[in-house]
Amino acid sequence: EKEGYEHFTLKEIYEQPKGVKDTVTRRIDASGDLKLEGLQITKEDLAAINRIYIVACGTAYHAGLVGRRAIEKFAGIPVECDVASEFRYRDPFIDAHTLFIAVSQSGETLDTLQSIREAKRKGARVLSIVNVVGSSVSRESDDVFYTWAGPEIGVASTKAYTTQLTAFYLIALYFAKLNGYTTDSYRHEILKELLKMPTMIQSVLDKTEDIQKLAAAQFNNEKVFFMGRGVDCDLAFEGSLKLKEISYINSFAIAAGELKHGTIALIEEGTFVIAVATQDRLYDKMLSNIKEVKARGAHVFAIAQEGNTEIQKTADEVFYIPKTMDELAAITAIIPLQLFAYYVSLARGNDVDKPRNLAKSVTVE
Ligand code: F6R
């Protein structure tokens, strides 16, 4: 079943070009237009919605953070994103003008399911982004968007995440088409670029060796910091979760602009920092943040878009993702972070596919 790969986790990382391709191409009709099977939301339905909550756990929550940005930017609808175990208990304001979006690979996560029930009770419409067909989450939702990632066996979620991002981009574009918040040409540009993502992911995977080398040099760290701004901050959270869950290294992520408000005190000689810097608009700010940690002795590995070479002068190592629209860079920029977690886990002799204390599906509260 592992088809020659040493672990399911690695196999699933490598299946991402296909997962993203399947998720996108099934939603584009012969005329090149978006058609989202399973979504019955009409123009009128959307016009009546004035607030969206995205609710999920773990990696699915991290996908939601990226989804929030896409929906706000493409479709202009206010979005909040929360973890299900918090959302359920905070008496969120929900009414018939609320769209609730649940995200779940397994479709069985209990906190997510209970959040759906709470939202429905208060009159919200429920749309879910799910990988497992016929799962509880999909059965209890009004609209379902299936990610076509295929079965995910490794406990660390990888291909589910990139297909969830893809789902959010498509849903955001679909909403934009319905409400006309952004221009047709902008939407077409994004859709065209989205179709290139499978090839771009593959070109990142072709550079796996670079990450393997980095992991060989850095697997003995006791702590690792991830930082980023904008969507790169969301990626920092996901990269950090991936690393901690399979390598057991104490890692955490922070919005780079928050560093100087406390956390920079933890940076000392040799501290390993991963800086995600894919966004043109925030590039200079990230360069300053990298300089700040370098000045305190950090060793910095950065992820940037091809062509933005200025960063080489400051960071110790740079991994370049193919040049793309800032809006979509998350899909490729997460790949080196997944690979890094995988190779560090391997180097530390851990059970990569089944990390300690974790279960693939969390059906308890
Ligand atoms: C992390 C991971 C978990 C899941 C979370 C939600 O790699 O796999 O954080 O993302 O338990 O699970 P689902 O998506 O099945 O609801």
Side-chain angles (χ1 to χ4, degrees):
E1 279 179 51
K2 289 186 201 149
E3 292 164 20
Y5 289 98
E6 200 175 337
H7 295 97
F8 282 111
T9 306
L10 188 64
K11 173 175 174 267
E12 288 160 8
I13 289 173
Y14 272 80
E15 282 171 345
Q16 292 180 106
K18 182 175 186 306
V20 169
K21 188 166 179 233
D22 289 347
T23 299
V24 180
T25 49
R26 292 187 189 210
R27 268 76 189 209
I28 296 174
D29 67 13
S31 65
D33 209 13
L34 271 184
K35 242 189 111 187
L36 304 193
E37 51 182 23
L39 252 74
Q40 261 91 49
I41 299 177
T42 63
K43 200 172 166 170
E44 291 70 36
D45 294 335
L46 193 68
I49 287 164
N50 58 19
R51 159 191 302 107
I52 296 178
Y53 288 115
I54 300 173
V55 174
C57 303
T59 288
Y61 164 70
H62 293 153
L65 294 173
V66 180
R68 170 176 67 179
R69 294 178 196 277
I71 294 173
E72 290 200 332
K73 175 142 197 192
F74 303 172
I77 307 167
V79 186
E80 267 192 68
C81 185
D82 210 346
V83 290
S85 56
E86 284 301 316
F87 181 83
R88 280 179 67 185
Y89 303 111
R90 74 171 161 94
D91 289 324
F93 181 88
I94 300 172
D95 64 11
H97 300 290
T98 304
L99 176 67
F100 179 95
I101 305 183
V103 193
S104 180
Q105 188 285 126
S106 65
E108 303 298 342
T109 304
L110 192 57
D111 276 320
T112 305
L113 202 54
Q114 295 290 23
S115 297
I116 290 178
R117 292 173 182 155
E118 166 80 1
K120 278 174 91 173
R121 212 167 21 245
K122 292 183 171 170
R125 180 173 186 137
V126 175
L127 157 64
S128 60
I129 298 174
V130 190
N131 196 42
V132 177
V133 177
S135 54
S136 306
V137 166
S138 67
R139 280 187 276 110
E140 297 199 22
S141 302
D142 300 300
D143 303 271
V144 183
F145 184 110
Y146 283 113
T147 46
W148 298 113
E152 194 180 61
I153 293 164
V155 163
S157 184
T158 53
K159 62 178 182 171
Y161 175 79
T162 40
T163 57
Q164 284 158 358
L165 296 190
T166 307
F168 271 118
Y169 293 129
L170 290 168
I171 291 167
L173 288 173
Y174 182 69
F175 287 175
K177 185 178 129 179
L178 293 183
N179 71 10
Y181 181 73
T182 36
T183 63
D184 287 355
S185 64
Y186 176 67
R187 288 197 325 268
H188 285 138
E189 201 190 336
I190 293 172
L191 198 55
K192 232 176 82 194
E193 193 70 5
L194 198 53
L195 286 165
K196 294 186 201 155
M197 284 299 144
T199 313
M200 289 195 193
I201 298 174
Q202 188 55 52
S203 76
V204 170
L205 291 171
D206 291 343
K207 297 198 290 181
T208 292
E209 231 172 79
D210 296 353
I211 300 296
Q212 239 174 317
K213 278 186 204 142
L214 181 76
Q218 298 293 345
F219 75 93
N220 256 329
N221 284 305
E222 270 167 33
K223 62 179 180 198
V224 174
F225 286 96
F226 289 75
M227 65 175 184
R229 286 171 178 260
V231 75
D232 292 332
C233 177
D234 307 337
L235 294 177
F237 279 108
E238 174 55 11
S240 172
L241 178 64
K242 220 78 313 173
L243 186 66
K244 74 180 73 150
E245 73 174 324
I246 58 175
S247 78
Y248 318 145
I249 292 176
N250 185 351
S251 84
F252 79 94
I254 187 163
E258 277 288 295
L259 259 179
K260 57 172 89 56
H261 298 289
T263 306
I264 201 159
L266 291 172
I267 305 287
E268 51 194 341
E269 195 59 41
T271 302
F272 188 53
V273 174
I274 298 187
V276 193
T278 68
Q279 301 292 295
D280 274 347
R281 197 162 53 97
L282 301 163
Y283 186 62
D284 289 339
K285 296 267 185 243
M286 277 304 294
L287 291 183
S288 316
N289 292 131
I290 294 171
K291 281 180 193 144
E292 281 163 12
V293 294
K294 281 294 300 174
R296 274 99 188 159
H299 181 105
V300 177
F301 168 69
I303 296 172
Q305 287 201 44
E306 243 158 41
N308 290 350
T309 50
E310 179 76 16
I311 200 163
Q312 270 168 234
K313 293 187 193 148
T314 326
D316 296 274
E317 290 108 11
V318 183
F319 184 95
Y320 290 105
I321 56 163
K323 179 92 197 113
T324 183
M325 295 172 76
D326 281 14
E327 289 87 333
L328 301 180
I331 295 189
T332 45
I334 196 62
I335 312 288
L337 301 181
Q338 295 171 339
L339 286 167
F340 181 69
Y342 173 77
Y343 284 109
V344 168
S345 173
L346 198 65
R348 291 168 75 99
N350 297 349
D351 187 348
V352 185
D353 284 341
K354 285 200 183 70
R356 70 186 183 203
N357 309 343
L358 291 167
K360 183 65 186 160
S361 183
V362 185
T363 53
V364 291
E365 298 181 64

PDB file of all heavy atoms in Angstrom, residues 56-62 103-110 112 137 152 154-158 160 164 238 241-242 245 358-362, ligand 1:
ATOM      1  N   ALA A  56     -13.028  24.463  12.941  1.00  0.00           N
ATOM      2  CA  ALA A  56     -12.356  23.174  12.725  1.00  0.00           C
ATOM      3  C   ALA A  56     -11.336  22.952  13.836  1.00  0.00           C
ATOM      4  O   ALA A  56     -11.209  23.781  14.741  1.00  0.00           O
ATOM      5  CB  ALA A  56     -11.660  23.182  11.364  1.00  0.00           C
ATOM      6  N   CYS A  57     -10.607  21.842  13.766  1.00  0.00           N
ATOM      7  CA  CYS A  57      -9.551  21.546  14.745  1.00  0.00           C
ATOM      8  C   CYS A  57      -8.223  21.318  14.030  1.00  0.00           C
ATOM      9  O   CYS A  57      -8.201  20.857  12.894  1.00  0.00           O
ATOM     10  CB  CYS A  57      -9.874  20.265  15.519  1.00  0.00           C
ATOM     11  SG  CYS A  57     -11.453  20.299  16.363  1.00  0.00           S
ATOM     12  N   GLY A  58      -7.151  21.607  14.735  1.00  0.00           N
ATOM     13  CA  GLY A  58      -5.796  21.256  14.266  1.00  0.00           C
ATOM     14  C   GLY A  58      -5.477  21.797  12.890  1.00  0.00           C
ATOM     15  O   GLY A  58      -5.661  22.987  12.588  1.00  0.00           O
ATOM     16  N   THR A  59      -5.002  20.896  12.047  1.00  0.00           N
ATOM     17  CA  THR A  59      -4.592  21.279  10.702  1.00  0.00           C
ATOM     18  C   THR A  59      -5.761  21.831   9.885  1.00  0.00           C
ATOM     19  O   THR A  59      -5.594  22.777   9.112  1.00  0.00           O
ATOM     20  CB  THR A  59      -3.954  20.056  10.005  1.00  0.00           C
ATOM     21  OG1 THR A  59      -2.686  19.833  10.623  1.00  0.00           O
ATOM     22  CG2 THR A  59      -3.755  20.266   8.527  1.00  0.00           C
ATOM     23  N   ALA A  60      -6.947  21.258  10.075  1.00  0.00           N
ATOM     24  CA  ALA A  60      -8.121  21.743   9.343  1.00  0.00           C
ATOM     25  C   ALA A  60      -8.415  23.194   9.740  1.00  0.00           C
ATOM     26  O   ALA A  60      -8.809  24.017   8.911  1.00  0.00           O
ATOM     27  CB  ALA A  60      -9.320  20.842   9.624  1.00  0.00           C
ATOM     28  N   TYR A  61      -8.183  23.512  11.019  1.00  0.00           N
ATOM     29  CA  TYR A  61      -8.327  24.897  11.487  1.00  0.00           C
ATOM     30  C   TYR A  61      -7.307  25.800  10.777  1.00  0.00           C
ATOM     31  O   TYR A  61      -7.622  26.911  10.348  1.00  0.00           O
ATOM     32  CB  TYR A  61      -8.166  24.951  13.013  1.00  0.00           C
ATOM     33  CG  TYR A  61      -7.912  26.328  13.560  1.00  0.00           C
ATOM     34  CD1 TYR A  61      -8.910  27.305  13.556  1.00  0.00           C
ATOM     35  CD2 TYR A  61      -6.654  26.668  14.068  1.00  0.00           C
ATOM     36  CE1 TYR A  61      -8.664  28.575  14.058  1.00  0.00           C
ATOM     37  CE2 TYR A  61      -6.407  27.932  14.568  1.00  0.00           C
ATOM     38  CZ  TYR A  61      -7.407  28.881  14.562  1.00  0.00           C
ATOM     39  OH  TYR A  61      -7.159  30.135  15.038  1.00  0.00           O
ATOM     40  N   HIS A  62      -6.098  25.311  10.651  1.00  0.00           N
ATOM     41  CA  HIS A  62      -5.071  26.105   9.966  1.00  0.00           C
ATOM     42  C   HIS A  62      -5.446  26.361   8.504  1.00  0.00           C
ATOM     43  O   HIS A  62      -5.147  27.423   7.957  1.00  0.00           O
ATOM     44  CB  HIS A  62      -3.706  25.423  10.061  1.00  0.00           C
ATOM     45  CG  HIS A  62      -3.174  25.391  11.464  1.00  0.00           C
ATOM     46  ND1 HIS A  62      -2.295  24.430  11.907  1.00  0.00           N
ATOM     47  CD2 HIS A  62      -3.418  26.201  12.523  1.00  0.00           C
ATOM     48  CE1 HIS A  62      -2.023  24.662  13.184  1.00  0.00           C
ATOM     49  NE2 HIS A  62      -2.692  25.727  13.578  1.00  0.00           N
ATOM     50  N   VAL A 103     -14.604  22.383   8.613  1.00  0.00           N
ATOM     51  CA  VAL A 103     -13.556  21.751   7.819  1.00  0.00           C
ATOM     52  C   VAL A 103     -13.085  20.503   8.560  1.00  0.00           C
ATOM     53  O   VAL A 103     -12.751  20.581   9.742  1.00  0.00           O
ATOM     54  CB  VAL A 103     -12.331  22.690   7.629  1.00  0.00           C
ATOM     55  CG1 VAL A 103     -11.413  22.143   6.547  1.00  0.00           C
ATOM     56  CG2 VAL A 103     -12.764  24.106   7.316  1.00  0.00           C
ATOM     57  N   SER A 104     -13.092  19.370   7.890  1.00  0.00           N
ATOM     58  CA  SER A 104     -12.646  18.144   8.550  1.00  0.00           C
ATOM     59  C   SER A 104     -12.217  17.100   7.537  1.00  0.00           C
ATOM     60  O   SER A 104     -12.943  16.805   6.590  1.00  0.00           O
ATOM     61  CB  SER A 104     -13.781  17.583   9.419  1.00  0.00           C
ATOM     62  OG  SER A 104     -13.365  16.412  10.067  1.00  0.00           O
ATOM     63  N   GLN A 105     -11.042  16.558   7.733  1.00  0.00           N
ATOM     64  CA  GLN A 105     -10.574  15.469   6.884  1.00  0.00           C
ATOM     65  C   GLN A 105     -11.447  14.247   7.116  1.00  0.00           C
ATOM     66  O   GLN A 105     -12.065  13.722   6.205  1.00  0.00           O
ATOM     67  CB  GLN A 105      -9.106  15.170   7.206  1.00  0.00           C
ATOM     68  CG  GLN A 105      -8.403  14.187   6.275  1.00  0.00           C
ATOM     69  CD  GLN A 105      -8.801  12.732   6.488  1.00  0.00           C
ATOM     70  OE1 GLN A 105      -9.210  12.035   5.536  1.00  0.00           O
ATOM     71  NE2 GLN A 105      -8.733  12.254   7.720  1.00  0.00           N
ATOM     72  N   SER A 106     -11.506  13.820   8.370  1.00  0.00           N
ATOM     73  CA  SER A 106     -12.216  12.565   8.691  1.00  0.00           C
ATOM     74  C   SER A 106     -13.728  12.729   8.646  1.00  0.00           C
ATOM     75  O   SER A 106     -14.460  11.786   8.370  1.00  0.00           O
ATOM     76  CB  SER A 106     -11.811  12.099  10.095  1.00  0.00           C
ATOM     77  OG  SER A 106     -12.257  13.052  11.070  1.00  0.00           O
ATOM     78  N   GLY A 107     -14.187  13.929   8.989  1.00  0.00           N
ATOM     79  CA  GLY A 107     -15.626  14.143   9.084  1.00  0.00           C
ATOM     80  C   GLY A 107     -16.217  13.542  10.351  1.00  0.00           C
ATOM     81  O   GLY A 107     -17.431  13.440  10.488  1.00  0.00           O
ATOM     82  N   GLU A 108     -15.352  13.161  11.296  1.00  0.00           N
ATOM     83  CA  GLU A 108     -15.831  12.522  12.530  1.00  0.00           C
ATOM     84  C   GLU A 108     -15.365  13.238  13.796  1.00  0.00           C
ATOM     85  O   GLU A 108     -15.640  12.771  14.898  1.00  0.00           O
ATOM     86  CB  GLU A 108     -15.364  11.055  12.585  1.00  0.00           C
ATOM     87  CG  GLU A 108     -15.795  10.192  11.407  1.00  0.00           C
ATOM     88  CD  GLU A 108     -17.314  10.053  11.250  1.00  0.00           C
ATOM     89  OE1 GLU A 108     -18.052  10.329  12.218  1.00  0.00           O
ATOM     90  OE2 GLU A 108     -17.757   9.687  10.146  1.00  0.00           O
ATOM     91  N   THR A 109     -14.652  14.334  13.680  1.00  0.00           N
ATOM     92  CA  THR A 109     -14.124  15.026  14.858  1.00  0.00           C
ATOM     93  C   THR A 109     -15.275  15.566  15.707  1.00  0.00           C
ATOM     94  O   THR A 109     -16.092  16.359  15.222  1.00  0.00           O
ATOM     95  CB  THR A 109     -13.189  16.157  14.406  1.00  0.00           C
ATOM     96  OG1 THR A 109     -12.175  15.567  13.583  1.00  0.00           O
ATOM     97  CG2 THR A 109     -12.540  16.861  15.580  1.00  0.00           C
ATOM     98  N   LEU A 110     -15.327  15.126  16.955  1.00  0.00           N
ATOM     99  CA  LEU A 110     -16.521  15.388  17.762  1.00  0.00           C
ATOM    100  C   LEU A 110     -16.759  16.876  18.038  1.00  0.00           C
ATOM    101  O   LEU A 110     -17.889  17.348  17.946  1.00  0.00           O
ATOM    102  CB  LEU A 110     -16.456  14.594  19.071  1.00  0.00           C
ATOM    103  CG  LEU A 110     -17.779  14.569  19.832  1.00  0.00           C
ATOM    104  CD1 LEU A 110     -18.906  14.012  18.977  1.00  0.00           C
ATOM    105  CD2 LEU A 110     -17.660  13.790  21.120  1.00  0.00           C
ATOM    106  N   THR A 112     -15.949  19.389  16.255  1.00  0.00           N
ATOM    107  CA  THR A 112     -16.403  20.021  15.017  1.00  0.00           C
ATOM    108  C   THR A 112     -17.878  19.688  14.772  1.00  0.00           C
ATOM    109  O   THR A 112     -18.682  20.563  14.441  1.00  0.00           O
ATOM    110  CB  THR A 112     -15.524  19.543  13.832  1.00  0.00           C
ATOM    111  OG1 THR A 112     -14.154  19.800  14.162  1.00  0.00           O
ATOM    112  CG2 THR A 112     -15.875  20.241  12.532  1.00  0.00           C
ATOM    113  N   VAL A 137     -19.914  14.496   9.550  1.00  0.00           N
ATOM    114  CA  VAL A 137     -19.942  15.932   9.248  1.00  0.00           C
ATOM    115  C   VAL A 137     -20.668  16.176   7.924  1.00  0.00           C
ATOM    116  O   VAL A 137     -21.512  17.067   7.816  1.00  0.00           O
ATOM    117  CB  VAL A 137     -18.507  16.530   9.218  1.00  0.00           C
ATOM    118  CG1 VAL A 137     -18.496  17.919   8.586  1.00  0.00           C
ATOM    119  CG2 VAL A 137     -17.913  16.576  10.623  1.00  0.00           C
ATOM    120  N   GLU A 152      -6.319   9.341   3.766  1.00  0.00           N
ATOM    121  CA  GLU A 152      -5.100   9.825   4.425  1.00  0.00           C
ATOM    122  C   GLU A 152      -4.851   8.914   5.626  1.00  0.00           C
ATOM    123  O   GLU A 152      -5.677   8.843   6.535  1.00  0.00           O
ATOM    124  CB  GLU A 152      -5.286  11.280   4.856  1.00  0.00           C
ATOM    125  CG  GLU A 152      -3.979  11.957   5.241  1.00  0.00           C
ATOM    126  CD  GLU A 152      -4.190  13.412   5.663  1.00  0.00           C
ATOM    127  OE1 GLU A 152      -4.907  13.643   6.649  1.00  0.00           O
ATOM    128  OE2 GLU A 152      -3.628  14.298   5.002  1.00  0.00           O
ATOM    129  N   GLY A 154      -1.407   8.436   7.255  1.00  0.00           N
ATOM    130  CA  GLY A 154      -0.452   9.030   8.203  1.00  0.00           C
ATOM    131  C   GLY A 154      -1.217   9.930   9.165  1.00  0.00           C
ATOM    132  O   GLY A 154      -2.130  10.650   8.736  1.00  0.00           O
ATOM    133  N   VAL A 155      -0.847   9.880  10.443  1.00  0.00           N
ATOM    134  CA  VAL A 155      -1.575  10.687  11.427  1.00  0.00           C
ATOM    135  C   VAL A 155      -1.407  12.188  11.134  1.00  0.00           C
ATOM    136  O   VAL A 155      -2.340  12.974  11.264  1.00  0.00           O
ATOM    137  CB  VAL A 155      -1.132  10.323  12.867  1.00  0.00           C
ATOM    138  CG1 VAL A 155      -1.549  11.395  13.864  1.00  0.00           C
ATOM    139  CG2 VAL A 155      -1.750   8.979  13.263  1.00  0.00           C
ATOM    140  N   ALA A 156      -0.227  12.579  10.706  1.00  0.00           N
ATOM    141  CA  ALA A 156      -0.004  13.992  10.368  1.00  0.00           C
ATOM    142  C   ALA A 156      -0.701  14.306   9.052  1.00  0.00           C
ATOM    143  O   ALA A 156      -0.464  13.663   8.035  1.00  0.00           O
ATOM    144  CB  ALA A 156       1.489  14.274  10.244  1.00  0.00           C
ATOM    145  N   SER A 157      -1.566  15.286   9.097  1.00  0.00           N
ATOM    146  CA  SER A 157      -2.344  15.630   7.917  1.00  0.00           C
ATOM    147  C   SER A 157      -1.496  16.441   6.930  1.00  0.00           C
ATOM    148  O   SER A 157      -0.899  17.450   7.292  1.00  0.00           O
ATOM    149  CB  SER A 157      -3.550  16.448   8.373  1.00  0.00           C
ATOM    150  OG  SER A 157      -4.377  16.732   7.285  1.00  0.00           O
ATOM    151  N   THR A 158      -1.443  15.994   5.702  1.00  0.00           N
ATOM    152  CA  THR A 158      -0.634  16.698   4.693  1.00  0.00           C
ATOM    153  C   THR A 158      -1.472  16.996   3.446  1.00  0.00           C
ATOM    154  O   THR A 158      -1.817  18.137   3.167  1.00  0.00           O
ATOM    155  CB  THR A 158       0.609  15.863   4.304  1.00  0.00           C
ATOM    156  OG1 THR A 158       0.186  14.542   3.922  1.00  0.00           O
ATOM    157  CG2 THR A 158       1.592  15.777   5.447  1.00  0.00           C
ATOM    158  N   ALA A 160      -4.532  16.341   2.953  1.00  0.00           N
ATOM    159  CA  ALA A 160      -5.860  16.873   3.279  1.00  0.00           C
ATOM    160  C   ALA A 160      -5.765  18.398   3.356  1.00  0.00           C
ATOM    161  O   ALA A 160      -6.631  19.108   2.851  1.00  0.00           O
ATOM    162  CB  ALA A 160      -6.371  16.298   4.587  1.00  0.00           C
ATOM    163  N   GLN A 164      -7.725  21.130   1.212  1.00  0.00           N
ATOM    164  CA  GLN A 164      -8.637  22.054   1.917  1.00  0.00           C
ATOM    165  C   GLN A 164      -8.372  23.499   1.480  1.00  0.00           C
ATOM    166  O   GLN A 164      -9.307  24.283   1.269  1.00  0.00           O
ATOM    167  CB  GLN A 164      -8.457  21.926   3.443  1.00  0.00           C
ATOM    168  CG  GLN A 164      -9.111  20.673   4.028  1.00  0.00           C
ATOM    169  CD  GLN A 164      -8.522  20.253   5.366  1.00  0.00           C
ATOM    170  OE1 GLN A 164      -7.574  20.867   5.874  1.00  0.00           O
ATOM    171  NE2 GLN A 164      -9.059  19.197   5.949  1.00  0.00           N
ATOM    172  N   GLU A 238       0.914  26.045  10.867  1.00  0.00           N
ATOM    173  CA  GLU A 238       0.775  24.677  10.365  1.00  0.00           C
ATOM    174  C   GLU A 238       2.140  23.969  10.324  1.00  0.00           C
ATOM    175  O   GLU A 238       2.254  22.812  10.710  1.00  0.00           O
ATOM    176  CB  GLU A 238       0.105  24.699   8.980  1.00  0.00           C
ATOM    177  CG  GLU A 238       0.029  23.373   8.260  1.00  0.00           C
ATOM    178  CD  GLU A 238      -0.648  22.251   9.040  1.00  0.00           C
ATOM    179  OE1 GLU A 238      -1.271  22.484  10.087  1.00  0.00           O
ATOM    180  OE2 GLU A 238      -0.519  21.091   8.591  1.00  0.00           O
ATOM    181  N   LEU A 241       3.006  22.955  13.878  1.00  0.00           N
ATOM    182  CA  LEU A 241       2.216  21.807  14.351  1.00  0.00           C
ATOM    183  C   LEU A 241       2.762  20.505  13.754  1.00  0.00           C
ATOM    184  O   LEU A 241       2.933  19.506  14.456  1.00  0.00           O
ATOM    185  CB  LEU A 241       0.740  21.977  13.972  1.00  0.00           C
ATOM    186  CG  LEU A 241      -0.188  20.807  14.362  1.00  0.00           C
ATOM    187  CD1 LEU A 241      -0.255  20.628  15.872  1.00  0.00           C
ATOM    188  CD2 LEU A 241      -1.594  21.010  13.805  1.00  0.00           C
ATOM    189  N   LYS A 242       3.049  20.558  12.448  1.00  0.00           N
ATOM    190  CA  LYS A 242       3.574  19.370  11.778  1.00  0.00           C
ATOM    191  C   LYS A 242       4.857  18.924  12.443  1.00  0.00           C
ATOM    192  O   LYS A 242       5.054  17.755  12.740  1.00  0.00           O
ATOM    193  CB  LYS A 242       3.844  19.735  10.311  1.00  0.00           C
ATOM    194  CG  LYS A 242       3.511  18.730   9.290  1.00  0.00           C
ATOM    195  CD  LYS A 242       2.079  18.557   8.896  1.00  0.00           C
ATOM    196  CE  LYS A 242       1.088  18.457  10.015  1.00  0.00           C
ATOM    197  NZ  LYS A 242      -0.305  18.462   9.589  1.00  0.00           N
ATOM    198  N   GLU A 245       4.284  17.532  16.143  1.00  0.00           N
ATOM    199  CA  GLU A 245       3.559  16.267  16.299  1.00  0.00           C
ATOM    200  C   GLU A 245       4.333  15.048  15.841  1.00  0.00           C
ATOM    201  O   GLU A 245       4.133  13.964  16.377  1.00  0.00           O
ATOM    202  CB  GLU A 245       2.170  16.324  15.653  1.00  0.00           C
ATOM    203  CG  GLU A 245       2.152  16.302  14.142  1.00  0.00           C
ATOM    204  CD  GLU A 245       0.715  16.209  13.588  1.00  0.00           C
ATOM    205  OE1 GLU A 245      -0.113  15.522  14.199  1.00  0.00           O
ATOM    206  OE2 GLU A 245       0.456  16.813  12.548  1.00  0.00           O
ATOM    207  N   LEU A 358      -1.102  10.283  19.771  1.00  0.00           N
ATOM    208  CA  LEU A 358      -2.050  10.860  18.814  1.00  0.00           C
ATOM    209  C   LEU A 358      -2.893   9.800  18.113  1.00  0.00           C
ATOM    210  O   LEU A 358      -2.445   8.681  17.899  1.00  0.00           O
ATOM    211  CB  LEU A 358      -1.301  11.667  17.750  1.00  0.00           C
ATOM    212  CG  LEU A 358      -0.649  12.965  18.230  1.00  0.00           C
ATOM    213  CD1 LEU A 358       0.306  13.493  17.176  1.00  0.00           C
ATOM    214  CD2 LEU A 358      -1.708  13.998  18.551  1.00  0.00           C
ATOM    215  N   ALA A 359      -4.115  10.195  17.766  1.00  0.00           N
ATOM    216  CA  ALA A 359      -4.991   9.312  16.991  1.00  0.00           C
ATOM    217  C   ALA A 359      -5.374  10.032  15.712  1.00  0.00           C
ATOM    218  O   ALA A 359      -5.401  11.263  15.659  1.00  0.00           O
ATOM    219  CB  ALA A 359      -6.246   9.000  17.794  1.00  0.00           C
ATOM    220  N   LYS A 360      -5.664   9.279  14.672  1.00  0.00           N
ATOM    221  CA  LYS A 360      -5.995   9.897  13.384  1.00  0.00           C
ATOM    222  C   LYS A 360      -7.342  10.620  13.449  1.00  0.00           C
ATOM    223  O   LYS A 360      -7.519  11.668  12.853  1.00  0.00           O
ATOM    224  CB  LYS A 360      -6.009   8.831  12.283  1.00  0.00           C
ATOM    225  CG  LYS A 360      -6.279   9.362  10.884  1.00  0.00           C
ATOM    226  CD  LYS A 360      -5.151  10.275  10.406  1.00  0.00           C
ATOM    227  CE  LYS A 360      -5.439  10.934   9.073  1.00  0.00           C
ATOM    228  NZ  LYS A 360      -4.591  12.125   8.867  1.00  0.00           N
ATOM    229  N   SER A 361      -8.266  10.037  14.185  1.00  0.00           N
ATOM    230  CA  SER A 361      -9.580  10.637  14.222  1.00  0.00           C
ATOM    231  C   SER A 361      -9.963  10.860  15.680  1.00  0.00           C
ATOM    232  O   SER A 361      -9.915   9.933  16.487  1.00  0.00           O
ATOM    233  CB  SER A 361     -10.544   9.672  13.521  1.00  0.00           C
ATOM    234  OG  SER A 361     -11.815  10.234  13.456  1.00  0.00           O
ATOM    235  N   VAL A 362     -10.310  12.108  16.031  1.00  0.00           N
ATOM    236  CA  VAL A 362     -10.548  12.441  17.445  1.00  0.00           C
ATOM    237  C   VAL A 362     -12.044  12.509  17.711  1.00  0.00           C
ATOM    238  O   VAL A 362     -12.683  13.540  17.559  1.00  0.00           O
ATOM    239  CB  VAL A 362      -9.843  13.754  17.828  1.00  0.00           C
ATOM    240  CG1 VAL A 362      -9.998  14.021  19.331  1.00  0.00           C
ATOM    241  CG2 VAL A 362      -8.364  13.691  17.475  1.00  0.00           C
TER     242      VAL A 362
HETATM  243  C1  F6R B   1      -2.518  17.321  12.437  1.00  0.00           C
HETATM  244  C2  F6R B   1      -3.788  16.621  12.407  1.00  0.00           C
HETATM  245  C3  F6R B   1      -4.884  17.067  13.310  1.00  0.00           C
HETATM  246  C4  F6R B   1      -6.220  17.098  12.558  1.00  0.00           C
HETATM  247  C5  F6R B   1      -7.375  17.404  13.519  1.00  0.00           C
HETATM  248  C6  F6R B   1      -8.699  17.531  12.804  1.00  0.00           C
HETATM  249  O1  F6R B   1      -1.636  16.852  11.480  1.00  0.00           O
HETATM  250  O2  F6R B   1      -3.962  15.708  11.641  1.00  0.00           O
HETATM  251  O3  F6R B   1      -4.598  18.303  13.849  1.00  0.00           O
HETATM  252  O4  F6R B   1      -6.137  18.051  11.552  1.00  0.00           O
HETATM  253  O5  F6R B   1      -7.455  16.399  14.488  1.00  0.00           O
HETATM  254  O6  F6R B   1      -9.060  16.334  12.179  1.00  0.00           O
HETATM  255  P1  F6R B   1     -10.162  16.302  11.074  1.00  0.00           P
HETATM  256  O7  F6R B   1      -9.693  17.097   9.928  1.00  0.00           O
HETATM  257  O8  F6R B   1     -10.336  14.846  10.717  1.00  0.00           O
HETATM  258  O9  F6R B   1     -11.415  16.891  11.663  1.00  0.00           O
END
